[in-house]
Amino acid sequence: MTEKELAAKAIRGDDEAFLQLMFMHKEALYRTALAYLKNDGDALDAVQEVTFRAYEKIKTLHTPEYAKTWLVRIMMNHCRDVIRKKNRYVFNDNIAEMKGISDDFTYLEVEEALSHLSEKDRQLVHLKYLHDIKIKDIADMTSTPEGTVKTRLYKAVKSLRDFFEGKGAERRA
């Protein structure tokens, strides 16, 4: 059964289809939560909370083909709420160990580079490159013209490139 079919059944109230849909996207949701919250325990809590919220609101999903995008968006909003409530953005050293990166600081460098981007740009980079969501879908999700999404994504990638090339990426607020 395809994702679209599962989402359509879940919208009609099929609990088994909803569970399969969540199982299909659990890794993407976990990675998103971990990218935002930087803590394994908080990320797992976030997946649990988003599963509950999605179950409650699945009937509001109007286009089944955007189920993954919808779930990721719920996760991102939840993570931003958690960060706001805790008023912290702490890096956990266990993340590097969990990712299997101990002597290679590539993951840390990427995290540092991403921290220099604005919240909106970081969100765009996560959606496009972490979740492989199409620019058209991101534009629909964020109610932003496709051209604006492309421009912001281009500038974010250029900023990351500048950071890695040591040219001194600009700090964005």
Side-chain angles (χ1 to χ4, degrees):
M1 190 176 298
T2 67
E3 175 188 1
K4 184 179 175 182
E5 292 168 342
L6 279 175
K9 286 180 91 176
I11 291 168
R12 289 192 300 265
D14 186 332
D15 292 343
E16 183 63 33
F18 177 78
L19 286 175
Q20 288 179 12
L21 187 67
M22 292 307 294
F23 186 77
M24 182 183 289
H25 298 301
K26 71 178 182 182
E27 189 175 326
L29 294 172
Y30 175 75
R31 284 186 290 138
T32 301
L34 194 57
Y36 273 83
L37 302 175
K38 315 291 185 204
N39 179 302
D40 188 46
D42 289 344
L44 290 173
D45 288 344
V47 170
Q48 188 175 9
E49 177 64 26
V50 166
T51 300
F52 175 71
R53 288 182 183 187
Y55 184 74
E56 281 189 332
K57 300 289 183 183
I58 190 71
K59 292 184 189 308
T60 65
L61 176 61
H62 298 293
T63 48
E65 57 266 24
Y66 293 139
K68 180 181 179 182
T69 305
W70 182 73
L71 290 169
V72 170
R73 185 70 180 178
I74 292 171
M75 177 59 78
M76 293 170 89
N77 289 336
H78 174 69
C79 289
R80 277 198 299 268
D81 290 345
V82 168
I83 290 169
R84 259 188 243 125
K85 284 181 184 170
K86 291 184 177 180
N87 197 18
R88 68 181 174 119
Y89 199 71
V90 178
F91 178 78
N92 186 337
D93 294 333
N94 293 332
I95 292 172
E97 293 171 16
M98 189 178 70
K99 295 261 183 197
I101 302 168
S102 56
D103 296 330
D104 181 5
F105 292 101
T106 303
Y107 177 77
L108 296 175
E109 290 170 352
V110 169
E111 285 297 315
E112 184 181 352
L114 286 171
S115 73
H116 287 91
L117 297 176
S118 70
E119 175 65 28
K120 284 184 174 183
D121 290 347
R122 191 171 40 247
Q123 180 182 359
L124 269 180
V125 170
H126 277 279
L127 289 172
K128 176 66 182 156
Y129 297 108
L130 193 65
H131 298 292
D132 200 28
I133 296 175
K134 294 176 185 171
I135 288 175
K136 181 185 180 314
D137 296 341
I138 294 171
D140 289 344
M141 256 174 67
T142 59
S143 302
T144 307
E146 250 182 87
T148 303
V149 171
K150 287 178 186 175
T151 301
R152 286 182 35 214
L153 198 55
Y154 172 79
K155 288 179 180 177
V157 170
K158 184 179 181 321
S159 177
L160 290 173
R161 187 175 300 125
D162 288 347
F163 179 85
F164 285 116
E165 290 175 358
K167 292 181 180 175
E170 291 181 20
R171 275 195 167 274
R172 294 184 182 183

